[in-house]
Amino acid sequence: MSENGIMSRAKVLTIDTMNPTVKKVEYAVRGPIVQRAVELERELSEGMKKPFAEVIKANIGDAHAMGQQPITFFRQVLALCSYPELLSDSTFPEDAKSRACRILQSCGGNSMGSYSASQGIDSVRQDVARYIERRDGGVACDPDNIYLTTGASDGIVTMLKLLVCGEGTTRTGVMIPIPQYPLYSAALAELGAVQINYFLNEEKCWSLDITELQRAVNEARQYCNPRALCIINPGNPTGQVQSRQCIEDVIRFAAKERLFLMADEVYQDNVYAEGCQFHSFKKVLFEMGPEYAETVELASFHSTSKCYMGECGFRGGYMEIINMDDEVKDQLTKLLSVRLCPPVPGQALMDLVVNPPQPGEPSYGSFIKERTATLSALAEKAKLTEQVLNTVQGISCNPVQGAMYSFPRITIPEKAVKEATEKGQQPDMFYCMKMLEETGICLVPGSGFGQKDGTYHFRMTILPPTDKLKILLNKVKEFHQRFTQQYS
Amino acid sequence: MSENGIMSRAKVLTIDTMNPTVKKVEYAVRGPIVQRAVELERELSEGMKKPFAEVIKANIGDAHAMGQQPITFFRQVLALCSYPELLSDSTFPEDAKSRACRILQSCGGNSMGSYSASQGIDSVRQDVARYIERRDGGVACDPDNIYLTTGASDGIVTMLKLLVCGEGTTRTGVMIPIPQYPLYSAALAELGAVQINYFLNEEKCWSLDITELQRAVNEARQYCNPRALCIINPGNPTGQVQSRQCIEDVIRFAAKERLFLMADEVYQDNVYAEGCQFHSFKKVLFEMGPEYAETVELASFHSTSKCYMGECGFRGGYMEIINMDDEVKDQLTKLLSVRLCPPVPGQALMDLVVNPPQPGEPSYGSFIKERTATLSALAEKAKLTEQVLNTVQGISCNPVQGAMYSFPRITIPEKAVKEATEKGQQPDMFYCMKMLEETGICLVPGSGFGQKDGTYHFRMTILPPTDKLKILLNKVKEFHQRFTQQYS
Ligand SMILES: Cc1ncc(COP(=O)(O)O)c(C=O)c1O
Ligand SMILES: Cc1ncc(COP(=O)(O)O)c(C=O)c1O
């Protein structure tokens, strides 16, 4: 101990004296299994011997990391915006140059290095509004209702933040699907809001039942104040695509129960299954007539991270806000202004996503070709994944109608469940950890997303290139058979 | 009213039912005065007649928006990273190409479109660590202590979030300077923490007195639990640069009072005044010997937004964490993982800032030339601002030793104070609004940053190009004289 006793003093900030709501946060997609995967990668690179040659991270929807190529046009425009001297380079197509000029003209000092307005660059918000109008068959969209965000994550957390109030039985409750994308549970834990689970129906292809919504909200009213309903469509981790009818029913339910609707539509272009189609909540809402269109409060979220572009690292996104109270909107703008602005390169990228090359423009052909190639490959891989997994006894996988993941149900033998429980681990975490150690494949256990008690799942992205995906699926198959045998 | 009564129902989310802590947030840098400036710009562009030809936004430290040019090398590397086909373009210098390759090799799939690790790209964190070691004369820096962030704002809010706990008189209190950069008060309001003001000494060039810190913490202990001390050096809005002695005293004070230190050092390259020098808290801490170096908890923040690069739109930044409890560090990493990762282009830019061209590399000469030009121009404008403002009777301005702002004290005549009060406005808000309407100059009133009762100030950036700054200062002078006369 030192003279004045400083050395021996406890730290100011310890696990016991830190923010208790932060401690409650969980985020499985980047949890212990991923940390172990990173360790294994390091060990491999240091020459340690493992039963596999490489770690395959099928835990996260990170398309480029899995080898997907960026859209050439998007990257050309970003390069032009980053280094405008290139505008005089004749190898760049004219449409890329004109897009870059339009973006730069909307930036302070014509530089992406300026802060933008907190709500996002005006011209980008206008382009987003026009995109939404086209997508929704002409339903009007006001650029004032568009807020650019730092990925969809930022928009979702911000909206949840606005909604949280009350204490005890009047505390805000938010309905989320189970299984869910764990951003929702994490944000609710951090905000100290009440998480209200509604279960998707695995037997019916992970569809959403209104009776289940009703059960969930009725029960919740006994201990909190349900104020919002979150929908993920197409679903993560479950891959279902909601029917128009279902969306209408959900909107009616939200109106009846007075719930603020949050529609997470980041996978809006990722629809693969025959007969499935993406319907935006906004469009359906407006088609239901003024009784709904003028009253139901809706926030919908989009992102540059998914679809055919997969540009996660740029952290681009937007939200559209419908029927929000004007005073609350002012508060939202104020709140966003504290963080100054979303990253401008991400805003630029969002602009390109909503305003891609048009017929007649020089880059149109290559853009369509690249987009189609990526989306057809994803559709093929969705099918392949479902098919191979369903050949394995003890694995059953719903069709991957959309998004980027399969979420198969797995049978875990009693003996394995027991061993996991003794270790204090969830059985599917035990299963996934074992798979990682034996095969190098990194998946996320179903328990990270939530699942019906007594059922087990894992989530696996469909993103690896087809060849690799085949190998991966076969390894999963072999592992499952070995595991089942070992614990029978 | 419609059949089923939906039309007439109140909204779910209203000003009365929204998150009450969000309502308490204020952020003057983008407050009502800036909204009015944007309106005026629109009115001007629509041809409305005004007593001025353009709105000059001297309200925010947004260098590129004020015409500052980006560093060529940085933008070349960003273009190469965005569109790697350019790597075969012979017009790009080799050092730009090798930096781009190093960055891309650290990205999943060699693409900036991949999510990075939540803590930031490994190689960038290593480069940051080496930069800090060089800056601090060899004091060791562990890349594990570096967290890349979405601008410094993100790091600051995240650290504050970890620190907040307790209720009533045990609620976390955080000491902040007055005047302050209003991110601090906004974040504390949102987190429901207690803001503890310590006043900088305007009479002594906005320096920090330990006796004032002591007064503030003693009083605060009666109603909250002071746990953290925030320092902004060089200061925003006040422009002072702290002496080594002062920093040592602050560290000793933090140790004695058991406070977690947060050092906002985003202006570390912005030091202009003779005899002033930037000393990092980290360096001083380590020079004070193990008694301090091994115990005092410190987070320091840096950003791509300020200094000579002024790349605000990219939202790059880092924080270094010293002596943080290991369990809390794990919690921090988990918390960051929910938001996935900071924007990768911002990380790339941070990498360039900490690893710029070296002597012998082809871009070294132009880099040094550009950096020097920007920093000398800023030094000149700092001097000019102080000089011109001090020629005006009723304005007195401390030397702008560093950062990017002047924060002069202004005398507001009794009659004007009365008129403002009748309007329910702060007198300096009234003054700045009038200046905006009459001259098109957008400043931020001192009340947005906090100031001693009965004193009035405004904050003005020194960023406009010298010619424009001269015109602007003259307009401010004329306005002040007119205003004083009008209300005498
Ligand atoms: C359903 C869903 N919503 C939101 C996000 C957040 O994505 P981002 O913040 O990268 O836009 C994801 C990412 O995987 C997701 O799957
Ligand atoms: C003192 C200080 N800290 C932090 C910030 C935040 O900057 P950014 O989030 O752009 O890095 C600013 C911006 O002006 C500042 O002046």
Side-chain angles (χ1 to χ4, degrees):
Chain A
M1 196 181 124
S2 85
E3 257 181 15
N4 60 7
I6 289 177
M7 299 275 295
S8 67
R9 283 215 292 245
K11 292 195 185 287
V12 176
L13 185 60
T14 66
I15 194 81
D16 296 323
T17 63
M18 67 174 281
N19 190 333
T21 65
V22 170
K23 276 192 274 187
K24 293 196 192 114
V25 169
E26 285 180 30
Y27 192 71
V29 178
R30 296 198 156 199
I33 199 148
V34 185
Q35 280 162 26
R36 180 64 189 139
V38 171
E39 251 174 56
L40 284 171
E41 272 181 332
R42 184 165 348 111
E43 292 175 8
L44 273 178
S45 78
E46 287 165 359
M48 259 171 90
K49 264 196 90 73
K50 299 281 165 195
F52 46 86
E54 67 170 327
V55 173
I56 304 178
K57 290 202 201 127
N59 60 299
I60 187 167
D62 191 1
H64 292 198
M66 284 286 120
Q68 186 182 308
Q69 292 306 303
I71 297 285
T72 304
F73 178 79
F74 291 180
R75 294 310 196 89
Q76 286 173 331
V77 178
L78 287 169
L80 290 161
C81 289
S82 300
Y83 187 52
E85 274 74 3
L86 291 170
L87 285 166
S88 59
D89 181 330
S90 59
T91 60
F92 281 82
E94 284 308 316
D95 49 353
K97 289 184 186 174
S98 70
R99 285 298 191 297
C101 288
R102 181 172 149 82
I103 291 168
L104 288 174
Q105 274 158 18
S106 314
C107 293
N110 297 330
S111 169
M112 286 210 295
S114 298
Y115 290 122
S116 76
S118 303
Q119 193 172 349
I121 296 172
D122 277 353
S123 70
V124 178
R125 292 190 295 109
Q126 284 157 15
D127 287 348
V128 168
R130 280 198 292 263
Y131 160 82
I132 293 175
E133 289 179 349
R134 283 197 310 276
R135 182 196 68 187
D136 292 345
V139 174
C141 177
D142 182 348
D144 274 354
N145 291 335
I146 305 299
Y147 291 77
L148 299 179
T149 56
T150 307
S153 306
D154 174 40
I156 294 166
V157 173
T158 302
M159 272 311 308
L160 290 173
K161 193 181 281 176
L162 288 182
L163 280 157
V164 174
C165 69
E167 289 303 327
T169 54
T170 69
R171 189 74 183 155
T172 292
V174 177
M175 304 183 71
I176 64 169
I178 297 294
Q180 53 124 8
Y181 174 61
L183 167 67
Y184 290 91
S185 51
L188 294 176
E190 196 190 317
L191 292 166
V194 180
Q195 173 179 328
I196 306 171
N197 296 335
Y198 66 89
F199 288 86
L200 300 175
N201 189 338
E202 181 165 16
E203 279 64 42
K204 288 194 186 152
C205 216
W206 295 114
S207 64
L208 188 162
D209 292 342
I210 299 296
T211 51
E212 168 60 9
L213 285 184
Q214 193 67 61
R215 175 205 65 74
V217 82
N218 289 351
E219 285 180 17
R221 287 207 192 280
Q222 295 167 22
Y223 56 85
C224 72
N225 179 16
R227 301 188 70 202
L229 168 55
C230 299
I231 307 280
I232 308 173
N233 177 50
N236 174 8
T238 43
Q240 87 286 10
V241 177
Q242 289 179 347
S243 69
R244 202 190 166 292
Q245 184 58 50
C246 172
I247 294 172
E248 231 187 275
D249 293 344
V250 168
I251 292 172
R252 229 173 250 119
F253 174 82
K256 177 168 82 78
E257 298 291 340
R258 307 203 60 237
L259 299 167
F260 193 108
L261 266 174
M262 292 181 51
D264 182 334
E265 304 180 324
V266 301
Y267 297 101
Q268 55 191 266
D269 293 334
N270 297 107
V271 175
Y272 318 117
E274 287 278 334
C276 285
Q277 202 190 325
F278 172 73
H279 303 275
S280 79
F281 266 74
K282 161 89 179 289
K283 177 166 194 253
V284 176
L285 177 64
F286 276 69
E287 288 171 354
M288 287 167 72
E291 186 182 321
Y292 294 94
E294 292 171 10
T295 63
V296 174
E297 293 150 79
L298 169 69
S300 70
F301 305 92
H302 196 14
S303 165
T304 57
S305 301
K306 312 295 165 181
C307 299
Y308 61 90
M309 51 281 180
E311 295 276 14
C312 312
F314 282 82
R315 315 305 297 122
Y318 74 75
M319 58 181 175
E320 184 186 14
I321 303 288
I322 311 284
N323 290 322
M324 185 182 264
D325 179 83
D326 283 337
E327 284 176 300
V328 177
K329 239 169 121 172
D330 289 346
Q331 293 287 325
L332 170 59
T333 307
K334 179 193 72 180
L335 183 63
L336 294 174
S337 73
V338 177
R339 295 294 190 100
L340 299 168
C341 71
V344 174
Q347 297 187 47
L349 194 50
M350 193 79 243
D351 191 52
L352 300 170
V353 169
V354 297
N355 186 20
Q358 298 303 309
E361 290 187 325
S363 305
Y364 182 71
S366 70
F367 167 70
I368 294 293
K369 207 171 133 209
E370 291 174 4
R371 185 179 69 177
T372 309
T374 299
L375 288 176
S376 347
L378 285 171
E380 190 194 336
K381 292 187 277 190
K383 198 89 211 141
L384 177 73
T385 303
E386 176 200 345
Q387 280 170 349
V388 176
L389 289 176
N390 280 326
T391 63
V392 189
Q393 199 168 2
I395 297 189
S396 92
C397 183
N398 269 321
V400 181
Q401 298 175 334
M404 296 180 166
Y405 317 91
S406 63
F407 195 67
R409 180 141 163 194
I410 50 177
T411 307
I412 298 188
E414 263 320 304
K415 251 170 86 182
V417 172
K418 199 158 157 265
E419 191 170 323
T421 315
E422 280 164 15
K423 283 191 164 181
Q425 253 179 357
Q426 293 289 340
D428 47 15
M429 173 63 94
F430 175 78
Y431 174 98
C432 289
M433 271 291 187
K434 234 176 144 55
M435 175 152 16
L436 175 63
E437 297 288 349
E438 291 182 18
T439 67
I441 298 171
C442 178
L443 307 177
V444 190
S447 44
F449 306 92
Q451 53 198 354
K452 274 220 172 110
D453 278 351
T455 69
Y456 306 111
H457 302 79
F458 60 73
R459 187 185 81 168
M460 187 179 111
T461 72
I462 59 167
L463 292 173
T466 311
D467 291 355
K468 215 168 187 172
L469 183 63
K470 280 185 187 154
I471 298 171
L472 189 145
L473 287 165
N474 266 321
K475 283 191 172 186
V476 169
K477 183 175 182 162
E478 283 164 26
F479 169 79
H480 188 85
Q481 289 165 342
R482 208 162 54 238
F483 182 89
T484 306
Q485 208 158 26
Q486 189 184 343
Y487 287 98
S488 292
Chain B
M1 193 179 128
S2 87
E3 258 180 16
N4 60 7
I6 290 176
M7 300 273 296
S8 66
R9 284 213 293 242
K11 291 193 186 290
V12 175
L13 185 60
T14 66
I15 194 83
D16 297 323
T17 63
M18 68 174 281
N19 190 333
T21 65
V22 171
K23 276 192 275 188
K24 292 197 193 114
V25 169
E26 283 180 33
Y27 191 71
V29 178
R30 298 199 155 199
I33 200 145
V34 185
Q35 280 161 27
R36 180 63 189 140
V38 172
E39 251 173 57
L40 284 171
E41 272 182 332
R42 185 167 344 112
E43 292 175 9
L44 273 178
S45 77
E46 286 164 0
M48 259 171 89
K49 267 196 89 72
K50 300 281 166 197
F52 46 86
E54 67 170 327
V55 172
I56 304 178
K57 291 202 199 126
N59 60 296
I60 186 167
D62 191 1
H64 293 199
M66 285 286 117
Q68 186 181 309
Q69 292 305 305
I71 297 286
T72 304
F73 178 78
F74 291 0
R75 294 309 197 90
Q76 286 174 330
V77 178
L78 286 169
L80 290 162
C81 289
S82 300
Y83 187 51
E85 274 73 3
L86 291 170
L87 285 166
S88 58
D89 181 331
S90 60
T91 60
F92 282 83
E94 284 309 314
D95 49 353
K97 289 185 187 175
S98 68
R99 286 296 192 296
C101 287
R102 179 171 150 84
I103 292 168
L104 289 174
Q105 275 158 16
S106 314
C107 293
N110 297 331
S111 169
M112 285 209 296
S114 299
Y115 290 122
S116 76
S118 303
Q119 194 173 348
I121 296 172
D122 278 354
S123 70
V124 178
R125 293 190 294 109
Q126 284 157 15
D127 288 348
V128 169
R130 280 196 293 261
Y131 160 81
I132 292 175
E133 289 179 350
R134 281 195 310 276
R135 182 196 69 187
D136 292 344
V139 174
C141 176
D142 181 347
D144 273 355
N145 291 336
I146 304 298
Y147 291 77
L148 299 180
T149 57
T150 306
S153 306
D154 173 41
I156 294 166
V157 173
T158 301
M159 271 312 307
L160 290 173
K161 193 181 280 174
L162 288 182
L163 280 158
V164 174
C165 68
E167 289 304 326
T169 55
T170 68
R171 188 74 182 157
T172 292
V174 177
M175 304 183 72
I176 64 170
I178 297 294
Q180 53 125 7
Y181 174 60
L183 167 67
Y184 290 91
S185 51
L188 295 175
E190 195 190 316
L191 292 166
V194 181
Q195 173 179 328
I196 306 170
N197 296 335
Y198 66 89
F199 288 86
L200 300 175
N201 190 339
E202 182 164 17
E203 279 63 43
K204 289 196 188 152
C205 216
W206 295 115
S207 63
L208 189 162
D209 291 342
I210 299 296
T211 51
E212 168 59 12
L213 285 183
Q214 192 67 60
R215 175 207 63 77
V217 82
N218 289 351
E219 286 181 19
R221 288 206 192 282
Q222 295 165 22
Y223 56 85
C224 73
N225 178 17
R227 301 187 70 203
L229 168 56
C230 300
I231 308 282
I232 308 174
N233 177 49
N236 175 6
T238 42
Q240 87 285 10
V241 176
Q242 289 179 346
S243 68
R244 202 190 167 291
Q245 184 59 50
C246 173
I247 293 172
E248 229 187 277
D249 293 345
V250 169
I251 291 172
R252 228 173 250 121
F253 174 83
K256 176 169 82 78
E257 297 291 339
R258 306 202 61 236
L259 298 168
F260 192 108
L261 265 175
M262 291 179 52
D264 183 333
E265 304 179 323
V266 301
Y267 297 101
Q268 55 191 264
D269 292 334
N270 298 107
V271 176
Y272 318 116
E274 286 280 334
C276 286
Q277 202 191 324
F278 172 74
H279 303 275
S280 79
F281 266 74
K282 161 88 178 291
K283 176 166 193 254
V284 177
L285 177 64
F286 275 70
E287 287 171 355
M288 288 168 71
E291 185 184 321
Y292 294 95
E294 291 172 11
T295 62
V296 174
E297 293 151 81
L298 168 68
S300 71
F301 306 93
H302 196 13
S303 166
T304 58
S305 300
K306 311 295 164 182
C307 299
Y308 61 90
M309 53 280 181
E311 296 276 14
C312 312
F314 281 82
R315 314 306 297 122
Y318 74 75
M319 55 182 178
E320 184 187 14
I321 302 288
I322 311 284
N323 290 323
M324 184 181 265
D325 178 84
D326 283 337
E327 284 176 300
V328 177
K329 239 169 121 173
D330 289 345
Q331 294 287 325
L332 169 60
T333 307
K334 178 193 72 179
L335 183 64
L336 294 174
S337 75
V338 177
R339 295 294 190 99
L340 299 167
C341 69
V344 174
Q347 297 187 45
L349 194 49
M350 194 78 244
D351 190 53
L352 300 170
V353 169
V354 296
N355 185 20
Q358 298 303 311
E361 291 187 324
S363 304
Y364 182 71
S366 71
F367 167 71
I368 293 292
K369 207 170 133 213
E370 291 174 4
R371 185 179 69 175
T372 309
T374 298
L375 289 176
S376 348
L378 284 171
E380 189 195 337
K381 293 187 277 189
K383 198 87 211 142
L384 177 74
T385 302
E386 176 200 344
Q387 279 169 348
V388 176
L389 289 177
N390 280 326
T391 65
V392 189
Q393 197 170 4
I395 297 188
S396 91
C397 183
N398 269 321
V400 181
Q401 298 175 334
M404 297 181 167
Y405 317 92
S406 64
F407 194 68
R409 181 142 162 192
I410 49 177
T411 308
I412 299 189
E414 263 319 306
K415 251 170 84 182
V417 172
K418 203 162 154 256
E419 191 171 321
T421 315
E422 280 164 17
K423 283 192 163 179
Q425 253 179 0
Q426 294 289 339
D428 48 14
M429 170 64 92
F430 174 78
Y431 175 98
C432 288
M433 271 290 185
K434 234 174 145 55
M435 174 152 19
L436 174 63
E437 297 289 347
E438 291 181 19
T439 67
I441 297 171
C442 180
L443 307 177
V444 190
S447 44
F449 306 91
Q451 54 199 354
K452 273 218 172 112
D453 278 350
T455 70
Y456 306 112
H457 302 78
F458 60 73
R459 189 187 79 169
M460 187 180 112
T461 72
I462 59 167
L463 292 172
T466 311
D467 291 354
K468 216 169 185 170
L469 183 63
K470 280 185 188 156
I471 299 172
L472 189 144
L473 287 165
N474 266 322
K475 284 190 172 187
V476 169
K477 183 175 183 163
E478 283 164 26
F479 168 79
H480 187 85
Q481 290 165 341
R482 209 162 50 240
F483 182 89
T484 307
Q485 207 158 26
Q486 190 185 343
Y487 287 99
S488 293

